Amino acid sequence: MKKITFFDWTIHLQADLTAITDHYEKKMVILEPSIELNSIIWLDNNKELQIKPTWDCVIIINAKNKSVTIRDAEDVVGLP
């Protein structure tokens, strides 16, 4: 897993995923190796973390530690 800081949140990503952050817009996009968009993460006007997954994934949010873990669903639940 890769560990990335997104403002005051820590994002844990599966090793083959790539994160690109736009600090001005407070958004991060997550891409697969084939440059397919997997999700968008952003901070809204109330400083609440928003996540829009665009593929079959498992997202674990730990609000206490301000961390998010993102993995392909098949890696977690063994889907074909």
Side-chain angles (χ1 to χ4, degrees):
M1 298 293 277
K2 290 191 256 185
K3 188 165 124 180
I4 298 166
T5 301
F6 181 70
F7 299 94
D8 56 346
W9 284 80
T10 300
I11 311 296
H12 301 274
L13 291 179
Q14 196 169 284
D16 63 335
L17 298 177
T18 301
I20 301 170
T21 303
D22 180 334
H23 292 281
Y24 179 75
E25 293 291 328
K26 296 183 180 175
K27 292 183 179 179
M28 173 188 287
V29 295
I30 299 170
L31 305 168
E32 284 187 353
S34 62
I35 315 298
E36 182 178 332
L37 178 66
N38 281 345
S39 66
I40 301 170
I41 299 172
W42 69 95
L43 291 174
D44 66 15
N45 292 335
N46 297 319
K47 297 186 180 179
E48 293 182 324
L49 189 71
Q50 305 285 318
I51 302 172
K52 169 62 176 98
T54 60
W55 91 116
D56 193 15
C57 66
V58 172
I59 299 173
I60 303 163
I61 302 170
N62 184 325
K64 179 181 175 185
N65 294 330
K66 287 199 162 189
S67 72
V68 175
T69 302
I70 300 174
R71 297 189 222 166
D72 283 332
E74 65 185 48
D75 289 345
V76 177
V77 295
L79 296 175

